[in-house]
């Protein structure tokens, strides 16, 4: 079953931009999950293979740096895409509407 496509003339440009931003975030999230899962699996495999008797199996979890660093960027991407438009123009418009309603 095919989904009906909307011609470019019938598209609302703001909704189209928001849809593209949301798909971009979902792709970013998928990349984050796949890459970080791979890094953690690599770390776990290395920890099992490079077991030193005196260290009791402790092996520094180096993927935490990529997970946290990239995670902060991913969180920022999420809030930019899913919060009230997130753009300066939208925030200015909202502030203007507040000021206009006060008069």
């Amino acid at each position: 079953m095919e989904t009906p496509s909307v011609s470019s003339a019938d598209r609302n440009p703001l909704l189209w931009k928001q849809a593209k931003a949301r798909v971009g975030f979902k792709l970013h999230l998928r990349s984050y999950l796949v890459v970080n899962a791979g890094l953690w699996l690599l770390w776990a495999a290395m920890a099992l293979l490079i077991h030193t008797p005196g260290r009791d199996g402790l092996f520094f979890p180096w993927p935490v740096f990529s997970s946290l660093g990239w995670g902060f960027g991913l969180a920022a991407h999420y809030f930019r895409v899913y919060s009230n438009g997130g753009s300066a123009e939208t925030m200015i418009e909202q502030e203007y509407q507040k000021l206009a309603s006060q008069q």
Side-chain angles (χ1 to χ4, degrees):
M1 180 174 171
E2 289 186 35
T3 58
S5 68
V6 178
S7 70
S8 60
D10 296 334
R11 288 185 189 141
N12 178 335
L14 294 175
L15 290 177
W16 183 251
K17 183 178 178 182
Q18 187 177 19
K20 285 173 59 174
R22 288 184 177 192
V23 168
F25 170 76
K26 290 174 184 177
L27 292 173
H28 186 185
L29 176 62
R30 184 170 54 186
S31 298
Y32 172 82
L33 293 173
V34 168
V35 170
N36 278 288
L39 290 174
W40 281 101
L41 286 173
L42 179 64
W43 171 79
M46 288 175 57
L48 290 173
L49 293 173
I50 308 174
H51 175 68
T52 307
R55 296 185 67 192
D56 295 329
L58 296 176
F59 189 64
F60 185 75
W62 50 265
V64 73
F65 296 117
S66 67
S67 295
L68 288 176
W70 195 350
F72 287 129
L74 188 65
H77 192 174
Y78 171 83
F79 287 115
R80 184 173 38 115
V81 170
Y82 286 98
S83 67
N84 307 346
S87 67
E89 294 85 19
T90 304
M91 291 171 23
I92 292 168
E93 181 66 31
Q94 289 172 349
E95 192 62 31
Y96 176 81
Q97 293 298 331
K98 275 200 275 185
L99 292 171
S101 68
Q102 290 175 357
Q103 291 187 355

